[in-house]
Amino acid sequence: MAAPSQTEKFAACLRMLKDRSGRGYDRLGKEAGVSGSSLHRYCSGLGVPTDYRVVHSFGKVCGASPEELRELHRLWALADTDRNAPAVTAVTTEGGPEPEPTPEGPVVTARTAPGPDAAAPRETAPAGTGKPRRPRVPEKLSSRFAVLAGAVVVVMGLVAGFVWMPADAPPSAEDGLLYSSACKSVSMGQHDECVREVQTLLVRAKGRLAVDGDFGPETLRRLTAFQVLAGMPASSVVDEETKKALYAQKVSMATWSPDKVAKRIREVFAEDPGTAVAVARCASFLDPLWVLPNTNGSRNWGVFQISDVRLRELGGTPLRAFDPEWNIRAAHRLWSARHDFHDWPSCEAALKDAKSAENAKGAKGAKDVPKG
């Protein structure tokens, strides 16, 4: 028996999800944003959706788990490739489906000599039936065709795989989800498995973020940091260059912990350590890879959120700003100009809280001093 095609495997997965949901095609179609007749065609193996979002929506309304959605995407990508491959004419071979039975009776064989174009003698219909009989292919010739057909299928599979897989991509389609047609571009506002794949790869690179499939501010922040660390433009979009870097797993986003950052700030800002830590916590939550975009298109970088303008004045770059040691010392240089934190006006509240805490601590200490 011939192995099921990729389209049939994809359809079987859809049917499993549909049957498990206990709902009909029309109801599922309304919830997934597609017609019930189209869903029926997909589940029957008569068609493959050109847009993966239809498949993802269907899987979600059927209650598919994240693992099932990942497998569903893999099967859809293979079926999409299988759909574009040219069909191969099936040939009856030994061990394959048996030919249809024919009525018993004597067979009258044509006595004409075979011409040069005749590969095998033809058989006429059994006597008295009046129905033409299907020509029979000799066993030796059938075996040769079987080998040839098998070789063609293998070659076609390899060619289809190479066409679908981009250059320098991992050989496994499951590992290269971002290379599928559904993930051509991944950017802010998306919520799907493509985003989840990006988040998973960022976490593998030691990035700190949740894997929830939602491309929000936190994912944007980590993606921007990854692109800078990888030495590429901070486009904030998962383009082809970013995909390659994510899958290569050569960039590490490991950095200092908040406790280590706070300790180093106190050492560098010996003149006013409490206020300096409060400002940094207000600006970046003591995160060395913190990035904040501004409305004018510029960005602020690192522990003390040094702006693009200040970076140029200090002879720095976004990559250097992600080095917590450099960032803390650069911030101290800015503070030394006037011995205040005027470069961080948005953290005035933090400054007031820090001073209030210091004053309260001083007042309490004064009360505790014994009189006389």
Side-chain angles (χ1 to χ4, degrees), residues 151-174:
V152 170
V153 170
V154 171
V155 171
M156 284 174 51
L158 292 174
V159 171
F162 281 120
V163 169
W164 179 78
M165 189 184 308
D168 301 328
S172 172
E174 185 176 0

Side-chain angles (χ1 to χ4, degrees), residues 1-348:
M1 179 180 293
S5 67
Q6 300 297 345
T7 300
E8 292 170 343
K9 292 179 181 179
F10 172 66
C13 186
L14 293 179
R15 289 195 299 272
M16 180 273 293
L17 293 173
K18 184 263 180 186
D19 294 341
R20 192 177 66 186
S21 72
R23 285 171 283 179
Y25 290 110
D26 290 338
R27 182 177 174 185
L28 287 173
K30 290 180 180 179
E31 297 181 19
V34 65
S35 67
S37 59
S38 295
L39 279 184
H40 184 270
R41 287 195 305 107
Y42 302 150
C43 292
S44 303
L46 300 178
V48 177
T50 56
D51 190 342
Y52 174 69
R53 287 175 292 185
V54 173
V55 183
H56 182 75
S57 298
F58 174 79
K60 293 288 286 185
V61 299
C62 289
S65 65
E67 292 76 15
E68 289 173 331
L69 288 174
R70 184 181 295 274
E71 176 64 12
L72 186 62
H73 187 281
R74 186 183 71 86
L75 292 174
W76 170 82
L78 294 174
D80 187 55
T81 302
D82 192 38
R83 173 182 56 187
N84 297 327
V88 178
T89 303
V91 179
T92 304
T93 62
E94 295 178 359
E98 301 211 357
E100 296 178 6
T102 56
E104 295 182 358
V107 177
V108 180
T109 306
R111 298 183 180 275
T112 57
D117 297 331
R122 296 197 175 193
E123 296 179 356
T124 60
T129 61
K131 296 181 180 180
R133 182 172 179 179
R134 190 173 57 185
R136 184 184 300 275
V137 180
E139 293 184 0
K140 292 184 179 181
L141 191 58
S142 176
S143 299
R144 293 179 183 175
F145 276 132
V147 173
L148 178 60
V152 170
V153 170
V154 171
V155 171
M156 284 174 51
L158 292 174
V159 171
F162 281 120
V163 169
W164 179 78
M165 189 184 308
D168 301 328
S172 172
E174 185 176 0
D175 293 337
L177 175 61
L178 295 179
Y179 289 121
S180 67
S181 59
C183 303
K184 289 182 179 180
S185 179
V186 186
S187 57
M188 184 76 169
Q190 282 186 230
H191 185 93
D192 53 26
E193 286 303 300
C194 301
V195 177
R196 188 180 296 275
E197 178 80 349
V198 172
Q199 293 171 332
T200 300
L201 293 171
L202 289 172
V203 170
R204 288 181 189 173
K206 308 301 182 184
R208 304 172 189 168
L209 74 161
V211 179
D212 57 5
D214 187 9
F215 199 128
E218 186 62 23
T219 301
L220 177 63
R221 188 175 295 116
R222 297 309 178 195
L223 174 64
T224 302
F226 177 87
Q227 290 175 326
V228 171
L229 293 172
M232 63 181 66
S235 65
S236 302
V237 175
V238 185
D239 52 21
E240 292 302 314
E241 187 179 4
T242 304
K243 293 175 185 179
K244 292 178 182 179
L246 285 169
Y247 282 119
Q249 290 291 298
K250 294 180 179 179
V251 177
S252 175
M253 301 180 71
T255 187
W256 292 7
S257 67
D259 290 341
K260 184 175 180 179
V261 171
K263 179 181 179 182
R264 186 55 182 152
I265 291 174
R266 292 188 179 95
E267 293 171 351
V268 174
F269 284 83
E271 305 88 345
D272 195 355
T275 305
V277 172
V279 168
R281 182 176 283 110
C282 165
S284 69
F285 301 96
L286 304 179
D287 184 350
L289 299 182
W290 195 262
V291 185
L292 186 65
N294 300 312
T295 55
N296 62 1
S298 64
R299 296 183 178 94
N300 301 331
W301 307 91
V303 174
F304 276 95
Q305 288 294 277
I306 301 176
S307 67
D308 288 325
V309 174
R310 289 301 193 195
L311 275 182
R312 288 191 292 269
E313 294 175 357
L314 296 167
T317 63
L319 181 59
R320 293 193 71 182
F322 281 152
D323 177 2
E325 179 68 26
W326 187 92
N327 195 291
I328 294 170
R329 289 191 173 277
H332 188 263
R333 288 168 58 189
L334 295 174
W335 176 87
S336 299
R338 290 168 42 178
H339 287 78
D340 62 21
F341 293 91
H342 66 278
D343 268 276
W344 296 270
S346 60
C347 290
E348 289 181 1

